[in-house]
Amino acid sequence: MADNKIYSLNDIYSEDEIIYQSERYHKAVLKFRELYGDVPFRLFSAPGRTEIGGNHTDHNHGKVLAAAVSLDVIAVVEKTDDSIIKIRSEGFPVDVVDISDLSVKPADINTSSALIRGVAEGFVKNGYKIGGFRAYTTSKVLKGSGLSSSAAFEILVGTILNYLYNDGIVPPIKLAQISQYAENIHFGKPSGLMDQMASSVGSFITIDFKDNENPDINSLSFDFKKSGYNLCIVDTKGNHSDLTNEYASVPQEMKAVAEFFRKDYLREITKKQLLESIDEVRKATSDRAVLRALHFFDENERVEKEFLALKDGRIEDFFKEVRASGNSSYKYLQNIFPCSSPENQGLSLALYTAENILGNDGAFRVHGGGFAGTIEAFVPDGKLTEFENEMNRIFGDKSCQVISIRPVGGVEMSLK
C-alpha cells in the first residue's frame, strides 16, 4: 500500500536526535534559500539500509533480512513548471537533468544524473507522472558506507516525484523496482533489489524475491538496544573504485550455475540438484561459481532461521546464524577482498578485530556487497566502548557508527 502521510521529526527520529535533526533540517532550508531564493518548499527524507542476512542472494531471487536505518538523506524541494530536475547535493556538483529526454546516456553512466533520469523514466514506463523540481540535499548515508547511499538517493528522487506529481500513490515496492531499474539500466550497476526495497519499505523486514515482481515481505519489530546489544557499522574506508567487475562476477557466476540446468536463476533449482551434478557443473562453470551457489542455498535457509529466532526472542540463536553467514561469505561467497587487489584487506582486518573483542558474545559479518567498505556487528553494552575505540583507532575517527532501525522508508516531512 502507498503511504501519503506527512511525517514529523518525532515519527522518524529517536528522542535524543530531535534537537540535532531540527537544526539539520533548518540548515538545509537556509542553504536551499541561498541557492534558489525565498520560495515555497517541501521536505523529504529517505533512509539508508542495513543488510542483516541474505548476503548476495537477492539478484538470484533469494531471501534477505534487511532494515531501514536512522541515517538518511534529506531534501528541500521546490516544484517547478518545466522539465528540468536540478539537484545540488552537499559536497557534490549540481546535477541538471532534462527529463523531456529519458533515453540512456552512456556519458552519464556511474553518475547521479543517470539515477535521476533513470528514476524518471521508470515512473513513465509504469504509467506515473513526472515533472521538474529544484532541490538541495544533504546526507548522513555516506558514500561507500555500506548503507547504500545510491539506493537512498534513488528512493529520495522517487519519493519526491511520487508526492509532487502522483499524490503519494506509488507503492513502496513499485518505487523500489523503479529505483533498481535506474541503477541497472541508466547507472550501469547490476545490483539486486534488496537495497532499494529496504530503503523504500522501511522497518525490519524479510523479503522473499522468488517472484521478483511481487516479492513477499514480512515486517518484524525488534529492538536490539533493549536486548543489551548495539547495532554497529564499521567503515574500513576501502576504495570502491574499479570494483564493478568484482561485484558483477557474483550474480554472473551464480546465474552460470543456474544456466547449466537451463534456468535463469539459482532459486529455480535446488541444492540437491547441484550436489548431484557437481562434477559436471564444476567443469562447465568454475569451482568458485559452485561455492557461491552453495552459499546462496545455505544463506536462504539462514534467513528463515534468523527471522524466526528474532520473532521468538531467541537472540543467541540469531547471533549464531549471523556468525555462520559471515563465515560463509568469507569462505564460499568470497566477497571480503577483491581478487584483483589482494593486498587491500580492510574488511578482513575489521572482522579479525571484531572477533578478537567479541568472541561469541554478539555477532559480526561483512555488510552489503563486500570487497571493500564495511562490516556489521552486534555489540553488547559492556563491550561497546572498547569496540568503538579500537575500530576508530585502526580505521580512523568515526569509523564505527551505532545505528538504529527506522520505522518507515521514503517520506514527505514536516517541521511542525
Side-chain angles (χ1 to χ4, degrees), residues 237-255:
K237 311 292 176 65
N239 187 354
H240 285 77
S241 62
D242 299 324
L243 290 179
T244 298
N245 289 337
E246 298 278 3
Y247 292 120
S249 70
V250 179
Q252 287 169 357
E253 291 181 11
M254 287 184 179
K255 289 173 183 177

Side-chain angles (χ1 to χ4, degrees), residues 12-29:
I12 302 297
Y13 305 105
S14 63
E15 186 177 347
D16 58 357
E17 291 182 287
I18 297 301
I19 293 176
Y20 165 77
Q21 292 294 347
S22 179
E23 293 175 349
R24 178 186 176 215
Y25 276 82
H26 281 294
K27 287 179 182 178
V29 169

Side-chain angles (χ1 to χ4, degrees), residues 159-188:
T159 300
I160 293 169
L161 290 174
N162 188 15
Y163 279 81
L164 292 188
Y165 293 100
N166 297 275
D167 297 321
I169 67 168
V170 184
I173 291 176
K174 180 57 66 176
L175 190 58
Q177 292 168 335
I178 288 172
S179 297
Q180 184 201 22
Y181 172 84
E183 188 156 319
N184 289 175
I185 304 303
H186 285 258
F187 188 79

Side-chain angles (χ1 to χ4, degrees), residues 66-93:
V69 298
S70 52
L71 303 179
D72 64 349
V73 53
I74 64 174
V76 188
V77 180
E78 176 198 12
K79 184 178 180 180
T80 61
D81 57 4
D82 56 24
S83 63
I84 304 298
I85 293 179
K86 184 177 184 180
I87 300 179
R88 171 65 65 84
S89 297
E90 182 182 19
F92 295 92

